């Protein structure tokens, strides 16, 4: 009878929910069973999707990284084969490339990336990004190709597709002629 009572207590204990205290798996970095999952880190958003002050703050932080770390270490000589622009922040495509490169850098320098994290960043991200940004025919090709001749020019992009043009024309046609008092552009 005593043994049956002990078994009943053990079954009750095993059937009860775990205590809200620590996880039995905490030593292994795992959440407890039935507990809330660990909070996910905020998802990074591409800088071109940000607006207003949020975008300005991100651009300021990116500019600090580019000016204080990236250029002194990886900003090789400016030539026709590797142009640069002192006003790179005005080139949306360059901002997008550098922002993605910076986010990848932050991820790969983290201790959780392991000892090879920065090697992976160099191999998989840095080399490709620099080649795209500073290519002779790339987004900065109309800018500075010699430090003695600073230059800045945004190259025009391609026009909208024929489908977009057709949709715009159809929408204008459906709207009808402008009112006499309305200014036309």
């Amino acid at each position: 009878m005593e043994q049956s009572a002990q078994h009943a207590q053990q079954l009750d204990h095993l059937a009860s929910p775990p205590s809200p205290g620590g996880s039995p798996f905490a030593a292994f970095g795992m959440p407890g069973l039935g507990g809330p999952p660990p909070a996910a880190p905020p998802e990074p958003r591409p800088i071109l999707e940000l607006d207003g002050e949020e975008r300005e703050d991100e651009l300021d932080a990116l500019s600090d990284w580019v000016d204080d770390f990236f250029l002194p270490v990886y900003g090789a000589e400016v030539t026709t084969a590797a142009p640069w622009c002192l006003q790179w922040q005005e080139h949306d495509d360059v901002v997008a490339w550098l922002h993605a490169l910076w986010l990848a850098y932050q991820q790969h320098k983290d201790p959780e990336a392991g000892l090879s994290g920065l090697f992976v960043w160099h191999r998989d991200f840095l080399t490709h990004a620099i080649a795209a940004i500073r290519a002779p025919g790339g987004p900065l090709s109309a800018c500075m190709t010699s430090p003695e001749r600073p230059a800045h020019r945004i190259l025009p992009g391609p026009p909208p597709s024929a489908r977009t043009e057709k949709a715009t024309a159809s929408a204008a046609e459906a709207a009808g002629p402008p009112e006499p008092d309305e200014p036309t552009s």
Side-chain angles (χ1 to χ4, degrees):
M1 285 298 245
E2 189 175 317
Q3 195 175 19
S4 291
Q6 285 177 345
H7 285 170
Q9 281 180 334
Q10 285 179 336
L11 287 172
D12 286 344
H13 176 72
L14 292 172
S16 67
S19 63
S23 162
F25 306 107
F28 303 106
M30 297 172 55
L33 299 174
E43 285 190 34
R45 291 179 49 210
I47 196 167
L48 298 182
E49 291 181 5
L50 304 177
D51 292 318
E53 190 174 325
E54 187 179 18
R55 182 172 178 160
E56 284 302 314
D57 291 346
E58 193 75 0
L59 188 57
D60 285 344
L62 174 62
S63 296
D64 289 344
W65 180 76
V66 169
D67 292 341
D68 298 340
F69 174 73
F70 178 76
L71 287 177
V73 177
Y74 303 104
E77 181 180 11
V78 175
T79 66
T80 54
W84 186 248
C85 185
L86 298 175
Q87 297 173 45
W88 61 266
Q89 297 94 338
E90 295 179 22
H91 297 264
D92 282 344
D93 47 354
V94 173
V95 169
W97 270 105
L98 289 171
H99 188 251
L101 185 63
W102 179 47
L103 292 176
Y105 174 77
Q106 291 177 63
Q107 177 185 355
H108 285 84
K109 77 173 188 160
D110 189 278
E112 288 186 16
L115 296 175
S116 63
L118 285 175
F119 176 80
V120 171
W121 179 76
H122 281 87
R123 181 194 69 202
D124 294 349
F125 299 93
L126 177 68
T127 306
H128 184 68
I130 287 177
I133 293 168
R134 298 192 68 188
L140 302 178
S141 61
C143 294
M144 183 171 60
T145 57
S146 170
E148 288 80 39
R149 294 185 314 275
H152 167 69
R153 192 176 100 192
I154 304 285
L155 296 172
S161 69
R163 180 182 173 97
T164 302
E165 287 293 315
K166 185 177 178 183
T168 304
S170 295
E173 195 175 290
E179 295 292 322
D181 293 44
E182 285 185 24
T184 58
S185 50

